[in-house]
Amino acid sequence: MAKTNEHYDKLQAGYLFPEIAKRTRAFQAAHPDVKVMRLGIGDTTEPLSPSVIAGLHRGVEKLADVKTYTGYGAEQGNTELREALAQRYRGYGVTIEPDEVFVSDGAKPDSANIQSIFSAESVVAVQDPAYPVYVDSNVIAGRTGQWKDGRFEGLVYMPCTAANSFIPEPPKGKVDLIYLCSPNNPTGAVANREQLAAFVAYARKHRAVIIYDSAYAAYISDPVLPRSIFEIDGARECALEISSFSKEAGFTGVRLGWSVVPKTLACEGAEPGKVHRLWNRRQATMFNGASNVVQEGGLAVLSPEGQRESAAMVAYYMANARTIKQGLEAIGLTVYGGVNAPYVWMQTPGGMKSWDFFDKLLNEAHVVGTPGSGFGPGGEGFFRLSAFGHAEDIGAAVTSIQNNLKL
Ligand SMILES: *Cc1c(COP(=O)(O)O)cnc(C)c1O
């Protein structure tokens, strides 16, 4: 008698984006002449840059010729790409060996799969609010209890509030796995060195592991802010990092990411080398490598020309972020983020619930955003606005908010 994984029945998320779509559809059906504008998407909108397109073409051409054709590649990724990624970390003043870099089909799968190499008994801490994958992958693996009063039992929520600039303190009690995302989705907050050093000190003291998501590192323009957890002394002993070409180079549909698992990383009961070995084993067993065509595109992103082009793409989205941030501030709204991250995190006016504000913004300004409460209990009373979109559309949405939102 087959039974399904009972932990799936506990999941709550999956509700957020379908509910946004449902309410938007209902509004559009009732107001067919209104143009609904979107500041809700966490997806890139601008085309791939010329050198990346050329790289992808090179990948295709290699497959067209018997002399350069390749089939399965290494599960861990193409050597040249692993070396180029290690070289990027050298640019941050960090030593990462190429064989500590594992190329993948994206940061979402890696951040969902990484938990599988750790004990089922691990106590998990997440930022609240957080990217939903960290929570849901651990719910599915059975590391939490039931959903009760808006949170999962057994999960440690680290509150991110205006008072701590949306970067939490390390937990008071002992936890085993700590998920950190900086620059943060959804709050747009970026952790500074001192804040990350506090987590590294905590993890070393408690033999915990930090799972650091740096998918938005390319959006940091302030030179004092760390782009990698490995810029913090001691992080190679207690942290691993997951990252992606998605937001840096518009690869959300192309699919390419990587994880860095240092051979020096250790935890309770695992000598240095073991966590690295387990992730290698996991990937070799469950994953057959990223597309060879796409890895050529990734190499092109990391070329000097590719880096110039992706910097221009990031600057384009960050100009949108400024449009949103300044436009909302001009009408007296309180907003956070949007400076070194493509998300603006807005406090709802008058203490409105996130979903009530969603309806108000849609009805009055015809703008769709993302209710903060969809990212965890700490997101209630907040709203995420995304800088991904065409500049003219973002400008029109902000103008509509300024002219039509009743405050
Ligand atoms: C978009 C995003 C990613 C990227 O995921 P991919 O699978 O590489 O597209 C990872 N983490 C966060 C927090 C994100 O918002």
Side-chain angles (χ1 to χ4, degrees):
M1 190 169 65
K3 290 186 182 171
T4 58
N5 177 347
E6 62 194 342
H7 303 305
Y8 274 83
D9 300 333
K10 301 175 190 165
L11 291 172
Q12 301 298 313
Y15 159 86
L16 177 63
F17 290 100
E19 181 66 18
I20 290 173
K22 188 176 130 203
R23 292 192 191 201
T24 307
R25 261 196 319 275
F27 176 84
Q28 192 73 81
H31 307 89
D33 301 331
V34 167
K35 185 177 185 302
V36 172
M37 294 166 277
R38 284 165 211 278
L39 291 179
I41 51 165
D43 191 1
T44 48
T45 56
E46 302 311 302
L48 298 180
S49 68
S51 62
V52 174
I53 291 292
L56 291 167
H57 278 298
R58 270 196 302 281
V60 171
E61 292 305 327
K62 282 186 178 175
L63 297 182
D65 186 335
V66 71
K67 291 193 283 299
T68 48
Y69 174 83
T70 53
Y72 289 127
E75 292 92 348
Q76 300 82 355
N78 146 350
T79 304
E80 220 187 320
L81 182 57
R82 298 174 88 187
E83 280 168 359
L85 285 164
Q87 183 65 38
R88 152 170 292 188
Y89 284 91
R90 245 165 267 141
Y92 302 152
V94 168
T95 304
I96 297 294
E97 303 298 333
D99 68 351
E100 294 176 320
V101 178
F102 295 84
V103 175
S104 73
D105 58 348
K108 180 175 177 178
D110 282 4
S111 60
N113 293 330
I114 195 76
Q115 49 75 28
S116 72
I117 65 171
F118 295 101
S119 160
E121 272 91 61
S122 307
V123 175
V124 175
V126 293
Q127 286 168 286
D128 176 27
Y131 182 54
V133 181
Y134 317 141
V135 173
D136 288 354
S137 58
N138 280 290
V139 171
I140 290 169
R143 287 195 189 85
T144 71
Q146 293 296 332
W147 175 257
K148 199 165 162 237
D149 302 328
R151 45 185 72 216
F152 284 103
E153 293 174 328
L155 191 66
V156 175
Y157 290 83
M158 300 184 289
C160 300
T161 64
N164 61 21
S165 304
F166 300 95
I167 300 296
E169 306 261 313
K172 295 273 176 286
K174 184 181 177 335
V175 303
D176 304 307
L177 299 176
I178 302 169
Y179 289 81
L180 290 178
C181 175
S182 174
N184 192 267
N185 176 11
T187 67
V190 186
N192 65 30
R193 272 167 216 281
E194 294 67 37
Q195 289 163 328
L196 291 186
F199 276 96
V200 167
Y202 174 95
R204 293 180 58 140
K205 177 166 170 218
H206 294 286
R207 310 213 76 198
V209 172
I210 297 168
I211 298 165
Y212 192 75
D213 184 338
S214 65
Y216 295 94
Y219 288 79
I220 297 177
S221 55
D222 184 339
V224 308
L225 293 171
R227 283 155 175 75
S228 163
I229 185 79
F230 300 118
E231 292 182 50
I232 309 303
D233 283 342
R236 278 188 54 96
E237 281 74 53
C238 65
L240 60 87
E241 181 163 310
I242 294 171
S243 203
S244 174
F245 288 93
S246 281
K247 312 301 169 20
E248 170 178 353
F251 270 38
T252 49
V254 179
R255 310 304 308 142
L256 193 65
W258 70 92
S259 290
V260 176
V261 183
K263 284 178 266 182
T264 43
L265 171 57
C267 64
E268 192 67 46
E271 74 285 2
K274 182 161 184 182
V275 177
H276 177 271
R277 253 188 343 267
L278 291 186
W279 183 243
N280 188 56
R281 186 69 167 88
R282 192 272 166 209
Q283 290 299 78
T285 305
M286 311 267 205
F287 182 59
N288 237 344
S291 153
N292 44 15
V293 173
V294 167
Q295 291 188 78
E296 289 287 338
L299 268 173
V301 172
L302 296 174
S303 71
E305 190 55 30
Q307 286 292 285
R308 273 192 292 279
E309 292 169 357
S310 44
M313 195 186 285
V314 165
Y316 177 89
Y317 292 128
M318 287 311 298
N320 289 343
R322 263 192 307 283
T323 301
I324 299 170
K325 181 172 152 56
Q326 292 171 357
L328 300 187
E329 281 171 348
I331 54 169
L333 290 165
T334 303
V335 300
Y336 303 92
V339 178
N340 290 285
Y343 296 114
V344 173
W345 188 239
M346 177 190 151
Q347 198 177 315
T348 59
M352 284 180 88
K353 296 267 192 199
S354 301
W355 276 111
D356 292 341
F357 184 74
F358 175 91
D359 293 332
K360 179 180 167 71
L361 189 69
L362 180 56
N363 278 291
E364 295 177 4
H366 310 148
V367 171
V368 174
T370 311
S373 55
F375 299 97
E380 184 59 272
F382 286 88
F383 206 72
R384 190 191 76 175
L385 297 168
S386 163
F388 293 120
H390 307 311
E392 54 281 17
D393 297 342
I394 302 269
V398 171
T399 301
S400 177
I401 294 172
Q402 291 184 324
N403 294 340
N404 303 313
L405 187 68
K406 299 191 187 79
L407 293 170

